[in-house]
């Protein structure tokens, strides 16, 4: 679907229930909430599925859009969700429309608006809202600035392009509060986060002539730091601070014998292809997967997969 076709689909349907992804980031939450708000402005019935994994930082922005119990949904829309496995909730969803920017999108929905050239899903939702209503209002601008800025690391990641800056300018024109949002999302952090970062840096390892850096985050480290989920945003980029590293790997223990891996790379290595070997995916330079094994085994497996791909 094009942006216009997506907008027409939304015009012609109602009773929307919008899905984010598990372990939600600012892009999926902000984009979902902004879309719900815009649909409500059109007079539509729209809510998003409550995501209990939303961090304390983001929850106040999105909780007002969480659906009431037994909401009679008619049209299911997923936003920023690349595969069925990443959909929130325990049940099997029949997704009518997927709005996404991941090149690895598995086309699980009946209709899809996937634009992989966009750095964030928030940019796509912004264009859809503009097609529907002429542009975002203040609330939508706030939510979409969260989406766009967090998925680009405050416009520092390599996925940032000229369209991203044009989208950000449109959001500022619509009233997004740059100073307060940047302060909240990027410039201030908790004491627990600072302690956790110290542990991560002190235990980071380097492989293959320092071309691969690995940061491991165990549950014990989180407990010692007193860290909550709110302290764990953007951990995947800490390993990338090593100048020599071509591929940066963050392995986080999320449960007993369950490890979540996040990979970042330079343009010379496609980490989405590597993660797809383990049922994951994402972008060429930023991807992830989950392994049902110990941290040590996950580290061994991913290093074996990465080594042949190094330039």
């Amino acid at each position: 679907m094009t942006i216009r076709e997506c907008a027409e689909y939304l015009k012609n349907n109602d009773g929307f229930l919008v899905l984010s992804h598990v372990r939600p980031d600012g892009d999926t939450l902000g984009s979902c909430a902004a879309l719900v708000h815009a649909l409500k402005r059109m007079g539509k019935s729209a809510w998003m599925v409550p995501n209990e994994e939303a961090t304390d930082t983001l929850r106040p922005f999105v909780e007002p859009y969480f659906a009431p119990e037994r909401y009679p949904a008619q049209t299911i829309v997923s936003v920023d969700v690349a595969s069925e496995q990443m959909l929130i909730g325990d049940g099997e969803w029949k997704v009518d429309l997927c709005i996404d920017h991941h090149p690895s999108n598995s086309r699980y929905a009946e209709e899809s608006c996937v634009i992989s050239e966009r750095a964030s899903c928030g940019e796509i939702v912004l264009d859809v809202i503009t097609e529907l209503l002429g542009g975002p209002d203040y609330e939508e601008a706030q939510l979409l600035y969260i989406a766009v800025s967090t998925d680009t690391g405050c416009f520092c990641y390599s996925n940032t392009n000229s369209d991203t800056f044009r989208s950000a300018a449109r959001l500022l024109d619509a009233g997004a509060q740059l100073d307060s949002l940047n302060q909240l999302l990027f410039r201030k952090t908790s004491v627990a986060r600072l302690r956790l970062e110290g542990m991560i840096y002190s235990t980071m390892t380097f492989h293959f002539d320092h071309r691969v850096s690995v940061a491991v985050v165990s549950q014990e480290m989180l407990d010692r730091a007193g860290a909550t989920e709110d302290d764990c945003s953007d951990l995947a980029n800490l390993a990338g601070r090593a100048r020599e590293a071509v591929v940066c790997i963050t392995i986080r223990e999320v449960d007993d014998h369950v490890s979540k891996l996040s990979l970042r790379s330079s343009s010379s290595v496609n980490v989405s292809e590597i993660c797809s070997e383990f049922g994951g995916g994402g972008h060429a330079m930023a991807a992830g997967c989950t392994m049902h094994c110990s941290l040590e085994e996950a580290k061994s497996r991913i290093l074996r997969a990465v080594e042949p791909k190094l330039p």
Side-chain angles (χ1 to χ4, degrees):
M1 275 187 170
T2 64
I3 294 293
R4 179 167 293 178
E5 290 169 337
C6 181
E8 282 298 316
Y9 183 94
L10 295 172
K11 283 181 184 177
N12 294 331
N13 288 277
D14 206 346
F16 294 98
L17 187 63
V18 182
L19 309 177
S20 56
H21 61 65
V22 296
R23 297 183 294 277
D25 56 14
D27 193 19
T28 191
L29 292 175
S31 296
C32 282
L35 181 61
V36 167
H37 190 276
L39 291 169
K40 286 179 179 291
R41 272 210 291 151
M42 295 172 63
K44 304 283 188 180
S45 175
W47 298 94
M48 60 186 286
V49 174
N51 196 323
E52 299 306 326
E53 293 184 294
T55 64
D56 292 341
T57 298
L58 296 176
R59 180 176 290 274
F61 291 94
V62 301
E63 199 166 42
Y65 306 102
F66 285 180
E69 289 187 23
R70 295 184 290 276
Y71 167 65
Q74 301 170 35
T75 309
I76 309 296
V77 180
S78 67
V79 179
D80 193 44
V81 187
S83 67
E84 288 177 289
Q85 292 74 28
M86 292 296 291
L87 287 167
I88 187 177
D90 299 325
E92 292 185 3
W93 297 103
K94 181 184 178 299
V95 180
D96 299 297
L97 170 65
C98 171
I99 301 174
D100 190 24
H101 70 123
H102 294 99
S104 61
N105 187 280
S106 62
R107 308 290 173 164
Y108 56 89
E110 184 175 324
E111 299 285 353
S112 297
C113 179
V114 179
I115 306 177
S116 58
E117 296 81 10
R118 299 301 176 88
S120 66
C121 206
E123 296 168 55
I124 303 173
V125 173
L126 172 61
D127 285 346
V128 170
I129 291 174
T130 301
E131 185 71 29
L132 289 170
L133 294 160
D137 67 3
Y138 168 77
E139 182 69 16
E140 292 150 16
Q142 288 279 91
L143 293 164
L144 290 176
Y145 184 83
I146 291 171
V148 174
S149 65
T150 54
D151 231 35
T152 59
C154 203
F155 311 99
C156 290
Y157 296 165
S158 57
N159 61 340
T160 307
N161 54 48
S162 57
D163 282 337
T164 313
F165 286 114
R166 278 187 279 269
S167 294
R170 290 159 62 191
L171 296 172
L172 294 183
D173 288 342
Q177 299 298 301
L178 180 75
D179 290 348
S180 60
L181 288 175
N182 282 350
Q183 182 101 321
L184 176 70
L185 298 170
F186 304 107
R187 299 188 62 185
K188 292 289 186 179
T189 191
S190 66
V191 171
R193 170 61 183 243
L194 294 174
R195 288 177 179 147
L196 180 61
E197 286 190 13
M199 295 179 202
I200 292 171
Y201 284 131
S202 65
T203 56
M204 196 177 295
T205 59
F206 302 91
H207 309 265
F208 312 122
D209 296 324
H210 293 159
R211 289 180 296 165
V212 178
S213 58
V214 181
V216 173
V217 186
S218 67
Q219 188 58 52
E220 182 202 9
M221 293 165 68
L222 294 170
D223 292 342
R224 284 168 53 201
T228 67
E229 193 61 37
D230 205 40
D231 302 308
C232 295
S233 63
D234 207 29
L235 288 179
N237 292 289
L238 297 183
R241 302 201 62 189
R243 182 177 297 154
E244 298 88 348
V246 175
V247 176
C248 313
I249 304 166
T250 302
I251 309 173
R252 182 181 167 191
E253 184 179 37
V254 294
D255 207 342
D256 187 34
H257 278 72
V258 179
S259 301
K260 178 191 173 186
L261 290 81
S262 299
L263 278 66
R264 302 290 184 266
S265 74
S266 67
S267 58
S268 59
V269 179
N270 187 326
V271 290
S272 182
E273 291 180 356
I274 295 171
C275 289
S276 68
E277 298 178 27
F278 303 98
H283 301 281
M285 299 170 65
C289 61
T290 298
M291 295 186 189
H292 294 270
C293 60
S294 66
L295 288 170
E296 295 75 15
E297 178 63 21
K299 180 176 178 179
S300 177
R301 288 183 187 178
I302 199 66
L303 286 174
R304 287 197 300 269
V306 167
E307 184 178 13
K309 307 293 185 181
L310 292 173

